[in-house]
């Protein structure tokens, strides 16, 4: 899959020879296609949820059990991509939604941005959050233990239900149909 609209900051990050590729992650959903890149591997199977809120604008896109769901996008070719820079303790998120680019990090001034990214496959579950209204804005959790994966999945679905209720209703309907 061709990655659309790569921002110059993403290019700098990816072209930097001093960056260990294990420190870079990229997640994207566009229509019925997705990219899940972590630790220099493309994941073909798994679930991906990306939710983004800035003020009144809410976008959520998901790949769940090879089904694609979205809410808040304007056109069929819309996409949402988050590239993680995990090189330092201050994790940075490069967010691109169509032609809009934002760089999110802990040291940002207080803002009205919220982002959630959940990646789940058989081996692990990763939950990454950014909440611009908090002093500690970034949380990034990676787990492999089944009982903790279950608990993080509940937290993820709770946040999706609270922030994107009609999307969660549609997701719940899809999961019940499986």
């Amino acid at each position: 899959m061709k990655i659309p609209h790569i921002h110059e900051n993403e290019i700098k990050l990816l072209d930097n020879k001093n960056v260990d590729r294990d420190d870079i992650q990229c997640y994207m959903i566009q229509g019925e296609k997705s990219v899940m890149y972590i630790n220099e591997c493309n994941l073909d199977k798994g679930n991906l949820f990306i939710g983004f809120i800035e003020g009144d604008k809410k976008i959520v896109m998901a790949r769940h059990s090879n089904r694609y769901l979205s809410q808040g996008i304007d056109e069929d070719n819309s996409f949402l991509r988050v590239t993680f820079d995990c090189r330092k303790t201050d994790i940075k998120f490069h967010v691109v939604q169509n032609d809009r680019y934002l760089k999110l990090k802990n040291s940002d001034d207080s803002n009205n941005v919220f982002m959630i990214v959940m990646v789940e496959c058989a081996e692990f579950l990763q939950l990454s959050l950014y909440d611009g209204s908090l002093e500690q804005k970034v949380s990034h959790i990676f787990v492999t233990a089944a009982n903790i994966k279950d608990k993080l999945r509940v937290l993820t679905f709770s946040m999706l239900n609270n922030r994107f209720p009609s999307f969660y209703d549609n997701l719940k309907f899809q999961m019940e149909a499986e």
Side-chain angles (χ1 to χ4, degrees):
M1 173 182 191
K2 182 181 176 201
I3 307 282
H5 304 285
I6 295 185
H7 190 271
E8 64 186 60
N9 290 343
E10 291 176 297
I11 292 170
K12 287 178 191 175
L13 178 64
L14 296 172
D15 283 347
N16 187 338
K17 303 297 183 214
N18 296 322
V19 174
D20 184 346
R21 294 291 178 240
D22 286 345
D23 292 334
I24 306 300
Q25 300 177 17
C26 183
Y27 304 103
M28 185 181 90
I29 298 177
Q30 179 180 22
E32 299 222 348
K33 299 176 186 171
S34 62
V35 171
M36 295 188 294
Y37 178 83
I38 182 170
N39 293 345
E40 296 192 84
C41 295
N42 280 316
L43 301 177
D44 294 328
K45 296 180 181 178
N47 298 323
L48 172 62
F49 296 87
I50 305 173
F52 182 79
I53 300 172
E54 184 177 26
D56 294 337
K57 186 167 176 88
K58 293 184 174 189
I59 300 167
V60 61
M61 302 177 91
R63 170 184 154 178
H64 184 269
S65 299
N66 290 323
R67 291 192 177 117
Y68 290 86
L69 305 159
S70 63
Q71 179 184 313
I73 60 171
D74 299 329
E75 48 203 66
D76 290 339
N77 61 351
S78 288
F79 69 91
L80 185 55
R81 180 176 63 247
V82 183
T83 302
F84 294 16
D85 179 354
C86 303
R87 288 179 291 168
K88 301 176 182 164
T89 56
D90 187 15
I91 294 171
K92 295 171 188 69
F93 301 117
H94 300 265
V95 181
V96 180
Q97 198 272 318
N98 295 340
D99 58 354
R100 179 147 165 61
Y101 170 84
L102 280 174
K103 184 177 183 179
L104 306 173
K105 58 191 179 310
N106 258 332
S107 58
D108 289 344
D109 290 336
S110 184
N111 60 64
N112 63 351
V113 175
F114 174 83
M115 183 196 70
I116 180 171
V117 178
M118 192 267 273
V119 180
E120 178 183 27
C121 63
E123 296 82 19
F124 69 88
L125 187 145
Q126 177 178 285
L127 175 61
S128 303
L129 298 171
Y130 177 91
D131 188 333
S133 67
L134 302 175
E135 187 173 326
Q136 175 73 33
K137 295 172 178 52
V138 173
S139 181
H140 185 67
I141 305 165
F142 182 97
V143 297
T144 58
N147 63 333
I148 299 174
K149 284 172 55 175
D150 290 341
K151 292 174 182 176
L152 279 181
R153 191 178 308 105
V154 169
L155 286 173
T156 300
F157 289 160
S158 175
M159 284 184 266
L160 288 172
N161 186 36
N162 285 311
R163 303 274 182 158
F164 308 95
S166 59
F167 173 81
Y168 181 74
D169 289 343
N170 190 13
L171 173 64
K172 192 168 68 172
F173 175 77
Q174 294 287 336
M175 290 188 307
E176 289 170 355
E178 293 173 359

